[in-house]
């Protein structure tokens, strides 16, 4: 349903002190037929409401439309007063229509299709009672019709949310100021100046400063009496907020506290995390975010992001259009909720992983929070607990698959590309059968990324590259065994294969021969045929080469392959036995061993044991936080990757105990792609990102350090990686942005200048004549 207000463009809406008068019955009836009737509705910003009704019904029975105020107690209210939220009035539209040509029911049906009636006192980012949804009837017949149409709308168009539209008798009507009438007709540039004044400003998290509003801003925006008198700095607010955060009794309570803060004051939220990054990463993201997702329907207080459902495929475009114009969105994170953070199918609760990924991208790479959009594709759920839960907020039906599922996903993709043509799409936590398939389908046509497939592989590859440099092994000569060939394992294999092909003159088919993938039945073999997933087929070996070898046994595979690198994404605890590790160490000087499965109880080996078994020679990166390991009295830091069992990846030094996934990688890839406005995200752009990350390995300067850099330096890491991605996009002629600097120093500065930082910007009330 088309929104009445693309709110992201509406940054400063003008006020005026122009006089206005009430519309009396005599003047209203002038020049109208005797049978003319009135229809009065409220659906958010009245500019767009008027514009859409005129656009659809002018010349079809609509005789007149006036914007104004109704529903409150205040006499002769000004626009400024209404925007304060204290008058009780709603921004409304009063139409005069000819019932012989246009029915009251038709107008109300359109009313329910052109705004979201399920968000109480809110449309988009415009919050307050003045933006409520309401129908003001003028007689008993209209009251009856209003209730009938509302019931129909609830049953047919708004099944997934409760309609909050008020149905009330029409009280005294007040015309809005003259410049509001026919506003979008007279100002075709659209919404360039929103109303954020008084309580409306305090209720808008993107602009709210709370106690940090200056004295001048308090006066200009009508905030006196709404805030305590003492003006504070952002740093003072952070100190108070941190004390409040620390007082929460457990991790989930802290996560809920942070979510509440984000809904109130966006800058304070990001600044608080920025100042306590290591400590809070595991709270706002894995593992605690997983708990929040599992409890989504029980903890739910306020919607965030876009909820699309497979029952209403025809509404995807309209629903997605509510978040701005073509220039407003840079980054879309979308999930279908099937494989969330190693905890499986979470249905509509998956929206929180899309939100979390957006937050991480803002924190780590400076993508503006107002230019990101979190989306969930609700296809139902196969989670029995959710299906039985009376409070579950998603579709209470089995997950839809097959042709209807593909049509739904494609409806989203096509709508996103049309509505937000410059946006980069990040696929997150799709099921094993869909993740790689959908990425392969859309990747040749647009800039998109799947974190579970590509992100895991990129960060793992960066760790491998750093380890190969230390062990002085060339990529072209490397042999790798991957134990666990699901989406993470094959995603790693794909990235390593592509890197080998890019580094050498080998084809991808030849490069794949350097990688041996092992899954539950053992080594992947071509004879396994239909039992292989689409992603596994590329790594299946000829059966003839393994005739006399027990290919179901990992030890036998390691003994035969003699790998330089052994990676575990199997979730099979203690699978890397002493026998296997020692066999590997017989054949290579510096064994590179990455037990990545999570949580800790599922890791393939303890780094302490690996270090002992290899006499301190192994280069280790883990899937969970571990302390430094000792051998012969010397401490070695463990390169660390922390994520749940599905194996999404982030590496850093074991000094850091928080789990934080691959936040040094996917946000900066997004930043580089967005800033360059690259048409596609190519294999070479991903390899460029991996190389840039690997080159920052602390272990290259000190072999006892972690294989990849610490998350505390993530903003500067993002600059370097984004620079590499942009340069590669330019080299491949994929970049469409003009004026990208040619030398490294200028390019880095260009990237830094465009990264959003959590600080308060001065706010000014822009007069009408000054609006751009």
């Amino acid at each position: 349903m088309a929104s009445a207000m693309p709110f992201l463009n509406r940054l400063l809406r003008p006020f005026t002190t122009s006089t206005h008068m009430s519309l009396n019955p005599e003047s209203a009836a002038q020049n109208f037929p005797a049978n003319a009737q009135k229809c009065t509705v409220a659906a958010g910003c009245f500019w767009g409401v008027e514009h859409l009704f005129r656009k659809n019904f002018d010349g079809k029975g609509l005789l007149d439309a006036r914007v104004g105020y109704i529903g409150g107690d205040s006499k002769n209210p000004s626009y400024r007063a209404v925007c304060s939220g204290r008058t009780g009035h709603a921004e409304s539209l009063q139409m005069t229509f000819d019932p012989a040509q246009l029915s009251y029911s038709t107008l109300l049906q359109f009313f329910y299709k052109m705004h979201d009636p399920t968000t109480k006192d809110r449309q988009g980012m415009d919050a307050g009672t003045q933006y409520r949804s309401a129908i003001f009837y003028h007689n008993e017949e209209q009251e009856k019709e209003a209730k009938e149409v509302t019931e129909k709308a609830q049953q047919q168009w708004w099944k997934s949310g409760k309609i909050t539209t008020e149905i009330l008798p029409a009280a005294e009507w007040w015309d809005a100021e003259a410049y509001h009438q026919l506003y979008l007709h007279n100002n075709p540039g659209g919404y360039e100046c929103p109303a954020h004044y008084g309580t409306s400003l305090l209720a808008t998290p993107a602009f709210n400063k709370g106690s940090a509003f200056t004295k001048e801003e308090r006066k200009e925006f009508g905030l006196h009496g709404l805030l305590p008198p003492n003006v504070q700095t952002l740093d003072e607010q952070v100190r108070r907020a941190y004390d409040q955060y620390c007082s929460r009794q457990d991790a989930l309570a802290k996560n809920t506290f942070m979510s509440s803060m984000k809904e109130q004051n966006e800058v304070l939220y990001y600044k608080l995390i920025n100042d306590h990054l290591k400590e809070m990463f595991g709270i706002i993201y894995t593992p605690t975010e997983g708990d929040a997702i599992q409890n989504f329907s029980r903890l739910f207080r306020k919607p965030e992001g876009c909820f699309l459902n497979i029952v209403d495929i025809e509404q995807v475009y309209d629903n997605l259009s509510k978040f701005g114009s073509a220039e407003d969105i840079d980054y879309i994170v979308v999930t279908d909720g099937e494989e969330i953070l190693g905890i499986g199918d979470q249905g509509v609760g998956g929206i929180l992983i899309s939100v979390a990924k957006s937050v991480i991208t803002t924190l780590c790479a400076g993508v503006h929070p107002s230019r990101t959009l979190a989306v969930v594709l609700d296809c139902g759920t196969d989670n029995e607990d959710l299906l039985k839960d009376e409070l579950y907020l998603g579709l209470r039906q089995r997950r839809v698959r097959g042709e209807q599922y593909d049509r739904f996903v494609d409806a989203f993709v096509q709508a996103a590309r049309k509505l937000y043509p410059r946006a980069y799409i990040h696929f997150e936590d799709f099921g094993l059968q869909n993740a790689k398939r959908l990425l392969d389908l859309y990747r040749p046509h647009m800039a998109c990324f799947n974190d579970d497939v590509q992100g895991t592989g990129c960060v793992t590859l960066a760790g491998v590259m750093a380890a190969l440099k230390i062990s002085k092994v060339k990529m072209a000569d490397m042999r790798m065994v991957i134990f666990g060939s699901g989406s993470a394992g094959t995603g790693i294999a794909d990235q390593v294969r592509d890197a080998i092909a890019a580094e050498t003159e080998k084809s991808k088919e030849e490069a794949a021969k350097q990688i041996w993938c092992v899954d539950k039945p053992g080594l992947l073999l071509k004879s396994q045929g239909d039992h292989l997933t689409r992603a596994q087929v590329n790594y299946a070996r000829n059966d003839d080469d393994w005739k006399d070898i027990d290919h179901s046994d990992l030890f036998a595979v390691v003994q035969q392959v003699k790998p330089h690198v052994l990676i575990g994404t199997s979730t099979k605890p203690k699978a890397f036995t002493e026998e296997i590790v020692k066999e590997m160490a017989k054949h290579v000087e510096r064994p590179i061993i990455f037990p990545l499965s999570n949580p800790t109880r599922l890791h393939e080996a303890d780094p302490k044991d690996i270090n002992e078994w290899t006499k301190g020679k192994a280069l280790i990166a883990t899937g969970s936080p571990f302390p430094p390991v000792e051998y012969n009295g010397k401490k070695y830091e463990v390169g660390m990757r922390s994520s749940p069992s599905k194996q999404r990846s982030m590496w850093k030094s074991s000094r850091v105990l928080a789990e934080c996934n691959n936040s040094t990688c996917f946000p900066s890839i997004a930043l580089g792609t967005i800033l360059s406005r690259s048409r596609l995200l190519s294999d070479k752009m991903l390899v460029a990102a991996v190389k840039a990350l690997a080159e920052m390995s602390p272990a290259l300067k000190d072999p006892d350090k972690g294989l990849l850099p610490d998350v505390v330096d993530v903003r500067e890491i993002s600059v370097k990686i984004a620079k590499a991605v942009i340069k590669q996009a330019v080299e491949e002629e994929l970049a469409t942005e003009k004026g990208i600097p040619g030398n490294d120093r200028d390019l880095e500065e260009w990237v830094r200048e465009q990264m959003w930082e959590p600080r308060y910007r001065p706010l000014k009330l822009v007069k009408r004549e000054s609006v751009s």
Side-chain angles (χ1 to χ4, degrees):
M1 295 170 208
S3 170
M5 72 193 100
F7 60 85
L8 288 175
N9 273 351
R10 303 175 64 238
L11 297 179
L12 290 168
R13 186 174 174 185
F15 295 112
T16 181
T17 56
S18 302
T19 58
H20 60 287
M21 62 180 181
S22 175
L23 183 67
N24 60 59
E26 290 75 24
S27 64
Q30 192 173 5
N31 298 324
F32 296 148
N35 67 337
Q37 296 183 18
K38 290 180 184 175
C39 173
T40 304
V41 296
C45 167
F46 50 23
W47 292 349
V49 178
E50 178 197 27
H51 180 72
L52 288 174
F53 271 99
R54 284 188 179 276
K55 180 179 178 181
N56 282 272
F57 298 110
D58 268 351
K60 300 176 183 178
L62 181 65
L63 304 175
D64 188 34
R66 306 283 293 174
V67 296
Y69 317 114
I70 193 172
D73 300 323
S74 180
K75 298 291 184 180
N76 198 36
S78 69
Y79 180 68
R80 182 188 290 266
V82 172
C83 284
S84 73
R86 295 193 292 265
T87 67
H89 285 296
E91 288 194 23
S92 303
L93 177 70
Q94 189 165 88
M95 295 168 280
T96 304
F97 66 98
D98 181 355
Q101 301 180 62
L102 179 64
S103 71
Y104 183 65
S105 176
T106 298
L107 289 170
L108 294 189
Q109 289 182 51
F110 182 75
F111 161 80
Y112 275 118
K113 290 181 179 181
M114 52 74 66
H115 82 298
D116 185 350
T118 67
T119 53
K120 185 174 176 57
D121 298 337
R122 187 182 195 91
Q123 285 295 302
M125 281 186 65
D126 287 329
T129 57
Q130 67 270 32
Y131 298 115
R132 65 187 181 271
S133 175
I135 299 170
F136 301 95
Y137 58 84
H138 292 270
N139 53 51
E140 290 183 2
E141 182 61 30
Q142 284 195 354
E143 179 185 12
K144 180 182 176 183
E145 283 196 68
K147 290 179 178 178
E148 289 174 354
V149 173
T150 300
E151 184 177 355
K152 177 182 178 181
Q154 182 71 78
Q155 293 175 354
Q156 294 186 13
W157 307 322
W158 294 100
K159 298 175 185 177
S160 58
K162 182 175 175 54
I163 288 178
T164 64
T165 303
E166 296 177 346
I167 300 176
L168 301 168
E172 190 169 13
W173 171 266
W174 303 93
D175 253 10
E177 293 85 342
Y179 82 91
H180 286 300
Q181 309 299 334
L182 290 167
Y183 184 86
L184 291 182
H185 174 78
N186 297 323
N187 299 273
Y191 292 107
E192 295 177 342
C193 39
H196 291 304
Y197 185 87
T199 55
S200 174
L201 181 58
L202 294 177
T204 306
F207 297 118
N208 182 28
K209 300 182 182 181
S211 60
F213 278 110
T214 65
K215 291 181 179 178
E216 293 76 17
E217 289 170 337
R218 294 177 186 217
K219 180 179 179 181
E220 194 169 22
F221 288 96
L223 298 175
H224 285 303
L226 301 178
L227 291 167
N230 185 31
V231 177
Q232 293 190 309
T233 65
L234 178 56
D235 287 339
E236 288 172 328
Q237 289 180 316
V238 167
R239 286 200 294 274
R240 179 172 58 247
Y242 182 65
D243 288 343
Q244 294 170 349
Y245 168 88
C246 292
S247 71
R248 288 347 189 233
Q249 70 274 19
D250 57 41
L252 186 56
K254 289 176 177 174
N255 176 281
T256 304
F257 171 80
M258 294 302 294
S259 296
S260 178
M261 177 178 293
K262 186 171 184 284
E263 294 168 359
Q264 299 171 53
N265 185 328
E266 207 167 64
V267 170
L268 179 57
Y269 169 81
Y270 282 106
K271 178 64 173 172
L272 176 61
I273 300 172
N274 215 42
D275 287 0
H276 301 277
L277 193 58
K278 289 186 180 182
E279 179 182 353
M280 293 185 175
F281 234 121
I283 298 296
I284 63 164
Y285 197 35
T286 59
T288 312
E289 189 67 8
D291 296 334
I293 291 169
Q294 285 183 301
N295 289 279
F296 172 74
S297 293
R298 295 183 174 274
L299 297 176
F300 179 84
R301 289 179 297 182
K302 186 177 180 181
E304 182 174 7
C306 180
F307 297 81
L308 304 175
N309 74 81
I310 200 163
V311 174
D312 299 316
I313 295 179
E314 71 282 355
Q315 295 181 13
V316 166
Y317 184 90
D318 287 338
N319 291 344
L320 196 61
S321 72
K322 298 177 179 182
F323 296 87
S325 68
E327 298 296 315
D328 291 329
I329 303 296
D330 286 331
Y331 181 60
I332 299 173
V333 185
V334 61
T335 184
D336 70 354
E338 186 172 6
E339 287 290 343
I340 299 291
L341 296 175
I343 55 177
D345 189 341
Q346 298 300 315
V348 77
I351 187 65
L352 292 186
I353 192 61
S354 294
V355 170
K357 288 287 185 176
S358 299
V359 166
I360 298 300
T361 302
T362 294
L363 275 171
C364 298
V367 174
H368 198 294
S370 292
R371 300 186 65 81
T372 69
L373 176 58
V375 179
V376 63
L377 305 179
D378 188 351
C379 306
T381 179
D382 290 333
N383 185 322
E384 293 292 342
D385 292 337
L386 296 181
L387 291 171
K388 294 174 184 176
D389 186 353
E390 293 181 357
L391 294 181
Y392 178 59
L393 290 167
L395 293 176
R396 294 181 68 182
Q397 63 179 48
R398 290 287 176 186
R399 183 170 284 276
V400 177
R401 305 181 187 278
E403 187 270 339
Q404 186 180 354
Y405 173 87
D406 287 347
R407 278 199 302 114
F408 182 39
V409 174
D410 194 60
F412 158 74
V413 170
Q414 300 310 325
R417 294 186 69 191
K418 187 172 182 180
L419 290 164
Y420 312 115
R422 293 156 67 92
Y424 166 91
I425 297 179
H426 172 140
F427 294 100
E428 182 67 27
D429 287 343
F430 282 73
L432 178 62
Q433 297 302 318
N434 293 318
K436 183 72 162 59
R437 180 177 66 86
L438 292 175
L439 180 66
D440 290 344
L441 176 63
Y442 292 112
R443 197 176 173 216
H445 309 291
M446 64 184 191
C448 63
F449 178 84
N450 186 302
D451 192 35
D452 309 301
V453 176
Q454 295 167 299
T456 301
C458 283
V459 181
T460 305
L461 176 57
V464 168
M465 281 184 161
L468 290 176
K469 283 188 178 181
I470 294 166
S471 58
K472 297 182 173 57
V473 174
K474 294 179 181 179
M475 183 73 78
D477 301 327
M478 178 205 65
R479 298 179 299 277
M480 174 182 287
V481 169
I482 299 175
F483 183 58
S485 301
S487 60
T490 54
I492 292 169
D494 285 349
Q495 293 301 318
V496 173
R497 176 202 62 190
D498 293 349
I500 294 170
E503 288 273 313
T504 66
E505 294 184 357
K506 293 182 179 181
S507 65
K508 287 187 178 182
E509 291 73 19
E510 282 298 310
K513 293 178 181 178
Q514 294 180 221
I515 304 165
W516 287 258
C517 290
V518 181
D519 209 44
K520 291 177 183 177
L523 185 69
L524 300 185
L525 298 173
K526 290 183 178 180
S527 61
Q528 291 161 3
D530 293 342
H531 296 290
L532 299 173
T533 68
R534 183 187 183 119
Q536 291 172 341
V537 168
N538 296 325
Y539 303 97
R541 295 275 164 170
N542 290 320
D543 292 63
D544 291 344
D545 296 337
W546 291 82
K547 270 185 178 178
D548 302 320
I549 303 168
D550 183 3
H551 52 78
S552 65
D553 178 45
L554 179 61
F555 174 80
V557 173
V558 169
Q559 189 177 46
Q560 180 70 14
V561 174
K562 302 176 177 56
H564 300 90
V565 184
L566 177 61
I567 290 176
T569 55
S570 67
T571 68
K572 185 177 179 181
K574 307 300 180 184
F576 295 171
T577 63
E578 179 177 0
E579 182 186 31
I580 289 171
V581 171
K582 285 186 173 180
E583 177 62 29
M584 183 179 177
K586 282 182 187 177
H587 307 288
V588 294
E589 181 64 26
R590 300 295 304 270
I592 301 167
I593 303 177
F594 292 2
L596 305 184
S597 290
N598 280 284
T600 304
R601 61 184 172 80
L602 299 179
H603 60 252
E604 287 81 6
D606 190 308
K608 181 177 180 295
D609 292 334
I610 295 173
N611 210 47
E612 288 287 338
W613 297 336
T614 62
K615 299 181 180 179
K617 293 181 179 180
L619 294 165
I620 309 166
T622 68
S624 297
F626 284 93
V629 297
E630 285 192 31
Y631 182 75
N632 286 342
K634 188 174 183 179
K635 283 191 176 183
Y636 299 84
E637 292 181 357
V638 182
M640 187 175 72
R641 166 193 176 279
S642 177
S643 74
S645 60
K646 192 163 77 88
Q647 307 314 322
R648 204 167 288 97
S649 174
M650 162 64 199
W651 301 78
K652 59 183 179 179
S653 160
S654 62
R655 292 191 307 265
V656 185
L657 299 180
E659 298 188 11
C660 54
N661 270 311
N662 51 350
S663 53
T664 56
C665 194
F666 78 82
S668 47
I669 292 172
L671 179 64
T673 309
I674 290 166
L675 293 184
S676 65
R677 298 296 176 192
S678 181
R679 293 184 289 105
L680 303 173
L681 176 57
S682 70
D683 289 342
K684 289 183 178 180
M685 289 166 69
L686 292 175
V687 171
V690 169
K691 286 183 177 179
L693 181 57
E695 286 168 2
M696 290 181 275
S697 168
L700 295 179
K701 296 180 180 179
D702 182 347
D704 297 335
K705 295 290 185 183
L707 287 174
L708 286 174
D710 197 327
V711 71
V712 75
D713 303 316
V714 70
R715 299 277 289 198
E716 195 56 29
I717 293 167
S718 291
V719 171
K720 303 288 188 184
I721 295 176
K723 177 188 72 173
V725 170
I726 293 168
K727 287 177 67 176
Q728 186 60 44
V730 171
E731 184 176 326
E732 293 184 72
E733 299 183 346
L734 294 172
T736 62
E737 182 66 24
K738 305 297 183 185
I740 297 175
N743 67 71
D744 285 4
R745 183 175 178 179
D746 289 346
L747 181 54
E748 285 188 14
E749 190 56 36
W750 184 77
V751 171
R752 286 190 191 94
E753 286 175 355
Q754 297 182 79
M755 293 171 70
W756 182 83
E757 294 181 0
R759 57 181 176 82
Y760 290 134
R761 278 77 174 169
L763 298 181
K764 281 190 142 187
L765 188 64
V766 178
K767 302 298 181 183
R768 184 186 179 201
E769 60 271 15
S770 304
V771 174
S772 63

